């Protein structure tokens, strides 16, 4: 600790002006930091995302399960008169001499130039965002006990980056008492005595951290938020623990891999869980999409996340675009898009006119098609019925962003050329076709086919009457809007006549099902009247020998003398 203290004193001396006279340049630097912080973090709560980002970029010892914990308390452990104090705990390796020098400077982030190593921060002033909610932030890490002040130091006229050693208020013991664990404290603790007007918005945002914030992080697998007051009845922050566990089923194909990720959230004693099918694919960077901030990038990576169950909801609306951490862009797509997008300074949106970002978005349709095909066609020994819910991942709804609508239209154009729609084969084998090659049936006829199959009628040639028939698991009203989007249309009216004639439906079913066929035809006669239905053997009659035979409707109405089975007269007399 003594060495750490000496290091801080040395840094302080470098900030002081020579001869004790204030240096006018420091005033300019102080104002520059203040303006930059205000510009980048115009919203009070961006510091939360910055702290999560910093934790993701930190280094961790082998065997450590990286975690981040937020605790807010009404205790004023800093003796600054704060109404509430926010403590952030992170079990990283801890601050090094280089990290301390970086945080006491502007634009000297230790992460710069290391984006290929997975760092997601790049502006170099992430920690400075805490000044929006706290005038005096504290850091306890690896023996360092320091605080900063947004007010200019009287010795150098410089705020924000001049460290001050902390002996008490708080002490490590004070922090441990708030942490409340019998074990040792995590390596790094940040203490933020909140400004009075920031207490409410910070509490609201702590209660609204979305579980999916962990979805595209590679290190942080657990995040918790809790409030700790002497009287638990005064707690207003919704306690939450978010954990993500990866179960990699890795596959390499076209420079892509897929895996399943399980995200769970515990809140107010109840658990929620959602599994995500993750598809990560790499693409070469085109020369026309290169920009200065990504000039050394030769490839880009896109990750798509498909929520298998209902997405976890907590506070904020569910974002659709991620740059490792969520933006505030709601895409209306039923899947999430993650990439190394260039962001607006507010971090709320991606730069929609950036050549780099447009290059990424141009690759999303290909990534989606590959992911969707693998979802629908790859699973072995899985019945078609379990694949039908995958249709909901198709982006049917339009987006409020023009560039994303272009992505949607490109996805549609690619989908309609893919063999992704299963036909009904009534066998273990699965057959897939292009959407335009498959036809839908009326629900009443599906009921007839279901009854006929139970009675032993073979329907293996169902798709041999001029059109592949959409799998019954997919041909449901709940998928109408998706099938319409893909261009899957009903079979033409003449198909039913061919099916009834070619599938032994009339002779092979019981009298009750036969009557259902006649009623189906009667109810839809305005459609079938112009087809070949009158010429197929459809009407049962009793021969002279007492046996039951079949004749067509035309034969019945052209003078053929027959004795109809009693309850089948209705169809002929009404429509003959």
């Amino acid at each position: 600790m003594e060495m750490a203290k000496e290091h801080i004193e040395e840094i302080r001396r470098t900030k002081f002006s020579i001869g004790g006279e204030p240096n006018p340049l420091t005033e300019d630097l102080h104002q520059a930091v203040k303006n930059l912080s205000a510009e980048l973090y115009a919203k009070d709560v961006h510091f939360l995302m910055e702290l999560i980002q910093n934790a993701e970029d930190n280094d961790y010892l082998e065997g450590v399960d990286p975690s981040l914990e937020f605790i807010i308390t009404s205790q004023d452990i800093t003796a600054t008169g704060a109404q509430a104090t926010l403590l952030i705990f992170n079990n990283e390796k801890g601050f090094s001499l280089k990290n301390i020098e970086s945080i006491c400077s502007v634009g000297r982030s230790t992460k710069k130039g290391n984006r290929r190593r997975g760092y997601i921060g790049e502006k170099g002033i992430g920690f400075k965002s805490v000044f929006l909610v706290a005038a005096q932030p504290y850091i306890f890490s690896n023996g360092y006990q320091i605080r900063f002040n947004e007010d200019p130091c009287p010795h150098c006229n410089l705020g924000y980056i001049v460290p001050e050693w902390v002996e008490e208020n708080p002490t490590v013991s004070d922090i441990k008492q708030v942490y409340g664990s019998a074990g040792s404290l995590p390596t790094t603790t940040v203490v933020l005595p909140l400004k009075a007007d920031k207490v409410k918005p910070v509490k609201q945002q702590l209660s609204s951290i979305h579980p999916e914030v962990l979805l595209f992080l590679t290190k942080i697998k657990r995040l918790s938020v809790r409030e700790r007051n002497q009287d638990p009845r005064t707690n207003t922050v919704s306690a939450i623990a978010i954990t993500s566990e990866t179960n990699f089923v890795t596959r390499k194909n076209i420079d892509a891999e897929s895996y399943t990720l399980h995200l769970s959230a515990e809140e107010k004693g109840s658990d929620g869980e959602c599994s995500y099918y993750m598809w990560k694919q790499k693409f070469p960077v085109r020369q026309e999409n290169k920009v200065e901030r990504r000039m050394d990038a030769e490839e880009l990576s896109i990750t798509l996340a498909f929520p298998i169950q209902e997405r976890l909801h907590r506070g904020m609306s569910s974002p659709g675009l991620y740059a490792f951490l969520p933006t505030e862009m709601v895409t209306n797509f039923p899947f999430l898009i993650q990439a190394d997008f260039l962001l607006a300074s507010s971090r709320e949106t991606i730069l929609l006119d950036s050549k780099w970002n447009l290059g990424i978005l141009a690759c999303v349709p290909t990534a989606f098609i590959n992911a969707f095909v693998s979802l629908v066609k790859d699973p072995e020994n899985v019945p078609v019925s379990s694949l039908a819910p995958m249709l909901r991942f198709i982006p049917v709804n339009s987006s409020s962003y023009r560039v994303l609508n272009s992505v949607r239209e490109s996805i549609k154009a690619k989908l309609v050329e893919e063999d992704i729609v299963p036909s009904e084969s009534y066998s273990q084998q699965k057959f897939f076709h292009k959407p335009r090659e498959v036809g839908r049936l009326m629900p009443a006829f599906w009921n007839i086919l279901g009854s006929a199959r139970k009675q032993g009628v073979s329907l293996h040639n169902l798709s041999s009457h001029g059109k592949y028939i959409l799998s019954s698991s997919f041909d449901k009203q709940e998928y109408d809007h998706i099938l319409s989007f893909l261009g899957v249309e009903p079979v033409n009216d003449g198909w039913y006549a061919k099916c009834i004639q070619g599938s032994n439906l009339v002779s092979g079913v019981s009298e009750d099902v036969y009557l259902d066929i006649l009623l189906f035809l009667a109810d839809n006669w305005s459609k079938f009247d112009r087809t070949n239905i009158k010429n197929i053997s459809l009407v049962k009659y009793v021969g002279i020998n007492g046996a039951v035979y079949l004749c067509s409707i035309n034969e019945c109405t052209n003078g053929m003398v027959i004795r109809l089975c009693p309850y089948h007269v209705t169809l002929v007399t009404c429509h003959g």
Side-chain angles (χ1 to χ4, degrees), residues 9-304:
E9 287 303 316
E10 177 62 29
I11 292 176
R12 285 175 59 81
R13 283 193 292 272
T14 64
K15 309 291 183 185
F16 296 165
S17 302
I18 299 174
E21 292 296 325
N23 185 343
L25 293 178
T26 61
E27 296 182 13
D28 296 338
L29 181 58
H30 172 83
Q31 191 60 41
V33 177
K34 184 175 183 179
N35 292 343
L36 192 54
S37 295
E39 177 187 351
L40 291 176
Y41 308 105
K43 286 194 173 182
D44 303 333
V45 298
H46 282 298
F47 81 99
L48 281 179
M49 290 298 105
E50 291 295 336
L51 291 174
I52 295 173
Q53 175 179 286
N54 286 345
E56 171 69 7
D57 287 340
N58 287 336
D59 294 323
Y60 296 85
L61 293 172
E62 188 174 349
V64 170
D65 187 15
S67 65
L68 185 63
E69 301 172 76
F70 293 92
I71 298 179
I72 190 166
T73 177
S74 58
Q75 297 180 52
D76 181 21
I77 61 173
T78 60
T80 56
Q83 297 177 12
T85 306
L86 178 63
L87 295 90
I88 302 98
F89 300 92
N90 183 212
N91 59 353
E92 57 146 339
K93 281 185 178 179
F95 274 67
S96 65
L97 184 149
K98 218 178 232 188
N99 297 140
I100 290 293
E101 291 178 348
S102 173
I103 209 168
C104 295
S105 304
V106 178
R108 286 180 55 191
S109 171
T110 56
K111 295 178 278 190
K112 283 195 171 182
N114 286 307
R115 204 157 187 82
R116 287 185 177 180
R117 291 181 54 194
Y119 291 122
I120 63 178
E122 57 179 323
K123 294 185 176 70
I125 63 166
F127 178 76
K128 276 75 174 179
S129 65
V130 301
F131 285 104
L132 268 295
V133 297
Q136 297 183 56
Y138 296 69
I139 296 176
F140 289 71
S141 181
N142 268 358
Y144 288 100
Q145 300 179 186
I146 58 175
R147 72 175 174 185
F148 297 91
N149 200 317
E150 69 177 357
D151 292 331
C153 170
H155 301 289
C156 64
N157 277 354
L158 189 60
Y160 299 104
I161 59 175
V162 181
E164 180 182 346
W165 192 260
V166 176
E167 295 287 359
E168 58 182 16
N169 298 326
T171 64
V172 173
S173 178
D174 295 331
I175 295 172
K176 190 172 178 58
Q177 189 271 329
V178 174
Y179 188 63
S181 173
S184 58
L185 285 173
T187 314
T188 297
T189 302
V190 176
V191 181
L192 303 178
L194 298 176
K195 298 175 182 178
D197 62 331
K198 304 302 182 184
V199 173
K200 185 176 180 180
V202 168
K203 284 187 174 183
Q204 288 175 339
Q205 289 301 313
L206 287 171
S207 293
S208 302
I209 295 178
H210 200 282
E212 290 175 348
V213 74
L214 296 182
L215 205 52
F216 301 106
L217 301 182
T218 60
K219 295 178 185 176
I220 300 295
K221 298 304 176 189
R222 185 177 187 280
L223 185 151
S224 67
V225 177
R226 54 193 170 102
E227 187 170 8
R228 187 178 177 85
N229 294 323
Q230 290 183 341
D231 183 359
R233 292 174 297 180
T234 64
N235 291 351
T236 57
V237 172
S238 300
I240 184 172
I242 305 170
T243 60
S244 65
E245 176 187 352
T246 52
N247 175 26
F248 284 93
V249 183
T250 308
R251 42 167 287 175
K252 296 285 183 180
N253 181 29
I254 52 174
D255 209 3
E257 61 182 14
S258 62
Y259 54 94
T260 302
L261 188 149
H262 305 286
L263 194 64
S264 62
E266 177 185 347
E267 184 174 13
K268 296 180 180 178
S270 62
D271 295 328
E273 184 171 310
C274 183
S275 298
Y276 297 77
Y277 179 79
M278 312 290 288
W279 180 271
K280 185 176 183 180
Q281 186 167 355
K282 295 178 181 178
F283 297 87
V285 176
R286 295 178 180 272
Q287 191 63 36
E288 61 266 28
N289 296 122
K290 288 197 172 185
V291 294
E292 184 178 353
R293 288 165 64 184
R294 298 289 187 272
M295 193 56 69
D296 61 339
E298 298 299 327
E299 65 179 18
L300 59 87
S301 179
I302 294 173
T303 302
L304 303 181

Side-chain angles (χ1 to χ4, degrees), residues 400-447:
S400 57
Y401 299 97
R402 180 183 57 80
V403 67
L404 293 180
N405 275 328
S406 297
V407 172
R408 170 179 172 267
E409 289 304 315
S410 181
I411 287 175
K412 178 180 180 179
K414 290 178 179 293
L415 277 174
V416 297
E417 297 301 325
E418 290 285 335
D419 294 327
I420 54 167
V421 181
S423 60
E424 188 62 72
S425 65
Y426 288 113
S427 68
Q428 295 290 334
Q429 194 170 359
K430 296 190 283 285
F431 299 95
F432 295 89
H433 313 276
K434 294 177 178 59
R436 62 176 174 272
E437 298 172 344
V438 179
R440 304 187 64 180
L441 302 183
M442 286 186 265
F445 199 73
W446 274 120
N447 294 334

